[in-house]
Amino acid sequence: MGRSVGKTSLLTQYVKNTFTEDYRTTLGASILTKQITVDDKAVKLQIWDTGGQERFRALVSSFFKGSDGCMLAFDVTDTDSFYALEDWRQEILSQTRPGPQQFPFVVLGNKIDLTSRQVSSAQAEDWCQDKNIPYFEVSAKCNVNVDQAFRRLVRDALLQDSEAKDYYLTDSVTLRHNQTPDKRSCDC
Ligand SMILES: Nc1nc2c(ncn2[C@@H]2O[C@H](COP(=O)(O)OP(=O)(O)OP(=O)(O)O)[C@@H](O)[C@H]2O)c(=O)[nH]1
Ligand SMILES: [Mg+2]
């Protein structure tokens, strides 16, 4: 998250298979869609590309509500963007409903094609392991690991969704179970 870490570039690479060196900051947010197949299931993704500039923060936060998962990206050549992850994570968690499982996140360390690296993979890996979030080293420019990162997030979000359904189903089974002794006691 944060400005110019490459969010738009990652999404454009994933959805349209293109990349440009030109930087045009995202004003507010925009939506991209992509249809994929995961485990023989057709899934239509609605992907929100949020603007990382501070002035859009409140607006962007309002889009987190109702999302099924979130990709957190930082720039491996920019330490500040890495440190900003925790703020964004907290912000997202405060806007999303806690389910029976953890909210699905993946973290992307972008721009690994550059040599001016400031955040080591071990450093990023440590942070992610601590939070139990999968970590991917990626390059939007060279299309490294972008697909894999998306796939992981989609899988986790789908799993979360089915587990949430199980969770609610289990709840209703419990209710019915509780009613049974009542009925029996009426019959006596
Ligand atoms: N070398 C390199 N440059 C990248 C990569 N990804 C993005 N960039 C460049 O980084 C700059 C910013 O990319 P954007 O994708 O616009 O960044 P953003 O996170 O969407 O920025 P905001 O919309 O302002 O929040 C652009 O000049 C991109 O070309 C990458 O993997 N490698
Ligand atoms: Mg952008």
Side-chain angles (χ1 to χ4, degrees), residues 4 6-9 23-27 49-52:
S4 74
K7 299 178 296 296
T8 300
S9 303
Y23 172 41
R24 264 200 246 156
T25 190
T26 304
L27 302 171
D49 178 15
T50 55

Side-chain angles (χ1 to χ4, degrees), residues 14-15 33-47 146-155 158:
Y14 180 60
V15 175
T33 56
K34 184 175 167 101
Q35 218 145 356
I36 58 164
T37 311
V38 184
D39 299 330
D40 295 331
K41 223 186 285 175
V43 184
K44 188 172 179 183
L45 305 178
Q46 193 181 79
I47 310 165
V146 178
D147 240 69
Q148 285 86 336
F150 271 95
R151 223 156 238 287
R152 176 62 194 264
L153 183 61
V154 172
R155 267 176 200 278
L158 286 172

Side-chain angles (χ1 to χ4, degrees), residues 1-10 12 19-27 49-53 73 75 110-114 138-143:
M1 312 298 272
R3 65 187 283 274
S4 74
V5 301
K7 299 178 296 296
T8 300
S9 303
L10 286 161
T12 310
F19 174 81
T20 169
E21 298 278 354
D22 300 340
Y23 172 41
R24 264 200 246 156
T25 190
T26 304
L27 302 171
D49 178 15
T50 55
Q53 284 189 30
D75 175 349
N110 189 35
K111 307 194 188 180
I112 57 162
D113 57 284
L114 297 175
V138 301
S139 166
K141 183 177 180 176
C142 305
N143 198 10

